[in-house]
Amino acid sequence: MKPTLVVLAAGMASRYGSMKQVQGFGPSGETIMEYSIYDAIRAGFGKVVFIIREEFLDMFKENFATKLKGKIEVEFAFQELSKFTGNRQIPEERKKPWGTAHAVLCCKGIVKEPFAVINADDFYGRDGFEKAYQFLTTQVADNNYAIIGYELKKTLSDNGSVSRGVCNVDSNGNLVDINERTKIYRNEQGIITYEDESGLHEVSEDSSVSMNFFAFSPNFITQSENYFGEFLDRELHNPKGEFFIPLVVDKVVKNKEGDVKVIPTSAQWFGVTYKEDAPEVKASVDKLVADGQYPSNLWA
């Protein structure tokens, strides 16, 4: 059974200010996620599932379904606020989706095979998909997952702070814990720093970080459902509360439900966290095409 690629594309990109998921960066108008899908197909993935808001379905079909026909199976899952909330009354002030782990939960019944999860607006590089495919076809199990780990220094934006899941890894390459740092940047002295309620903290440039590139068995969807109820009991009335994938991964490890391998990649990440990132991303894509790593038209 070929693994599936799950693409997180339900967010409205509040910091970026537009639907960055469908902005073209390649020579033939390719989006960032198309390069991920292209790399996934080359690695051997058999299906892609886009997690979107239902109102974007026609737009996503128009942009992707036709060009991917015959190249990889395509399905859609819808992330909606009411899904998996039971009888709870959702506060009126809650507008944004519940977060990435809830998005994966919305794949219940659609994803039944080992799968990788990625963001729509991050460029991960071919090496990451090859390593994810190898893991998903040889090692994944209900008690054995993986994170494709990127070097922190290769994942920053020059235009503002970023959110990263900083991984603490043991001598066997297993995750000890993962801490979601929501404001990481390089300060004026050139030191990578993150901010939280207690102040400023230095973090190593070589830290392994999660870029929301995970490899799971379908059991992770069940675990997400189990922990989502706990999250809602705690955060239902917090309009900014988010049910992140790293929160579930951290619970899986600490509750001894399974191991999570951190598989390092030396690939250079890039993405469009801010509008100002867009010219740099386009230049990076153009260079990869010029170097022969991708064709000038992915789907010709």
Side-chain angles (χ1 to χ4, degrees):
M1 183 181 296
K2 290 185 176 182
T4 287
L5 178 67
V6 172
V7 180
L8 301 170
M12 282 298 291
S14 58
R15 283 184 295 181
Y16 189 68
S18 67
M19 279 295 291
K20 59 181 174 177
Q21 292 93 337
V22 293
Q23 179 172 344
F25 289 94
S28 299
E30 294 90 349
T31 62
I32 288 180
M33 77 177 92
E34 287 180 65
Y35 287 93
S36 293
I37 295 166
Y38 183 83
D39 284 335
I41 293 170
R42 287 198 289 188
F45 285 73
K47 181 169 70 175
V48 58
V49 176
F50 295 99
I51 305 177
I52 61 174
R53 298 188 189 186
E54 191 167 5
E55 59 262 35
F56 299 148
L57 178 60
D58 290 342
M59 179 178 64
F60 268 78
K61 282 185 173 180
E62 180 181 344
N63 278 277
F64 302 110
T66 300
K67 65 179 67 173
L68 295 176
K69 187 175 181 180
K71 298 177 175 66
I72 191 169
E73 184 182 348
V74 176
E75 289 195 48
F76 296 91
F78 304 127
Q79 185 178 16
E80 299 170 354
L81 281 177
S82 60
K83 282 190 172 181
F84 303 99
T85 57
N87 296 323
R88 297 174 179 85
Q89 185 67 38
I90 300 172
E92 289 186 10
E93 62 268 22
R94 182 76 197 196
K95 304 299 181 185
K96 65 187 300 185
W98 291 112
T100 54
H102 178 253
V104 172
L105 177 51
C106 291
C107 289
K108 184 178 180 179
I110 296 173
V111 174
K112 302 174 182 176
E113 52 282 313
F115 66 98
V117 181
I118 62 167
N119 292 332
D121 48 13
D122 288 320
F123 183 96
Y124 292 100
R126 183 175 183 175
D127 181 65
F129 290 93
E130 291 177 345
K131 287 178 174 174
Y133 177 84
Q134 182 179 22
F135 177 83
L136 288 167
T137 54
T138 62
Q139 298 180 58
V140 73
D142 286 352
N143 62 351
N144 195 34
Y145 302 148
I147 295 170
I148 305 300
Y150 287 73
E151 297 171 25
L152 176 57
K153 63 188 175 187
K154 294 183 177 181
T155 72
L156 301 178
S157 169
D158 292 331
N159 299 301
S161 64
V162 296
S163 296
R164 298 289 179 258
V166 180
C167 301
N168 181 17
V169 184
D170 70 15
S171 59
N172 295 317
N174 290 325
L175 183 72
V176 175
D177 57 37
I178 183 168
N179 296 291
E180 191 70 20
R181 305 303 187 191
T182 56
K183 197 171 185 181
I184 297 182
Y185 55 91
R186 192 180 293 278
N187 67 18
E188 294 178 357
Q189 290 73 42
I191 298 170
I192 299 179
T193 304
Y194 73 86
E195 294 183 20
D196 63 12
E197 296 82 358
S198 61
L200 303 178
H201 311 271
E202 183 177 343
V203 59
S204 169
E205 299 214 352
D206 297 322
S207 295
S208 185
V209 296
S210 160
M211 299 303 300
N212 261 3
F213 193 167
F214 297 92
F216 296 125
S217 80
N219 186 55
F220 183 79
I221 298 173
T222 301
Q223 291 169 319
S224 296
E225 184 171 14
N226 294 339
Y227 288 122
F228 187 50
E230 293 181 12
F231 167 83
L232 289 175
D233 290 341
R234 185 179 65 251
E235 299 284 347
L236 182 64
H237 296 283
N238 177 5
K240 295 184 178 180
E242 290 196 62
F243 188 51
F244 291 121
I245 292 173
L247 295 177
V248 180
V249 168
D250 199 47
K251 284 184 174 291
V252 167
V253 171
K254 289 180 177 175
N255 292 341
K256 302 189 183 304
E257 296 178 38
D259 294 323
V260 179
K261 305 290 183 185
V262 179
I263 301 173
T265 177
S266 59
Q268 175 68 50
W269 167 93
F270 53 84
V272 280
T273 305
Y274 302 95
K275 273 188 177 293
E276 292 79 7
D277 294 327
E280 299 169 27
V281 169
K282 189 176 188 316
S284 296
V285 171
D286 287 344
K287 185 176 188 309
L288 290 169
V289 173
D291 290 345
Q293 295 190 44
Y294 297 93
S296 58
N297 187 328
L298 289 181
W299 313 115

